Amino acid sequence: VLHAMGYGGSRRNLRTTAAGADGGIDGIIPLDKLGLDKVYVQAKRYAEDKAISRPTIQGFLGALSERGATRGVFITTSRFTDEARESAARSSDSLVLIDGEEFADLMIDHGVGVATRETFAIVQTDSDYFEDP
């Protein structure tokens, strides 16, 4: 989704980290062609009833700090607690939280992982067509 939004340039520039040994970072996306500025990504696939809490956000902020990172995106298929959102807002202007609902909207908006099953047009009468010349 982030690549479809224009981040990372080409797909070969997008990097994922090794599972289990990621140190709290799931992916790294360069913002420029030389890779001098990067966005660090954490992604959690949770059930809708399991929210991301403040300690999880603080862990991600710690992982960003260890890498000297200035930008981060935390994506979840579930939601964030109010405390998690407040912690993110207080801690960094460069940390973006994307919950499941917003992520689904982004997938639809950018055509990632979705397929259109049916479309239809709504028409109305063009009264100008029926007026005498």
Side-chain angles (χ1 to χ4, degrees), residues 18 20 53 61 93 124 131:
S53 64
L61 288 165
D93 289 334
Q124 67 182 27
E131 288 185 7

Side-chain angles (χ1 to χ4, degrees), residues 104-128:
D105 288 343
L106 290 170
M107 289 174 66
I108 293 166
D109 290 347
H110 296 281
V112 174
V114 297
T116 302
R117 288 183 35 199
E118 185 176 337
T119 59
F120 60 93
I122 299 173
V123 297
Q124 67 182 27
T125 305
D126 181 359
S127 59
D128 291 342

Side-chain angles (χ1 to χ4, degrees), residues 23-42:
I25 305 294
D26 291 328
I28 303 168
I29 301 172
L31 288 178
D32 59 76
K33 290 185 180 193
L34 297 177
L36 297 173
D37 204 4
K38 299 174 180 74
V39 173
Y40 292 80
V41 179
Q42 176 65 274

Side-chain angles (χ1 to χ4, degrees), residues 8 15 22 24 29 33 43 53 62 72 74-75 78 81-83 89 91 93 112 119 130:
R15 291 191 307 140
D22 62 14
I29 301 172
K33 290 185 180 193
S53 64
F74 196 115
I75 302 169
S78 65
T81 64
D82 290 340
E83 293 83 13
S91 300
D93 289 334
V112 174
T119 59
F130 294 103

Side-chain angles (χ1 to χ4, degrees), residues 95-112:
L95 175 58
V96 175
L97 303 181
I98 301 173
D99 65 18
E101 187 174 325
E102 185 178 1
F103 190 63
D105 288 343
L106 290 170
M107 289 174 66
I108 293 166
D109 290 347
H110 296 281
V112 174

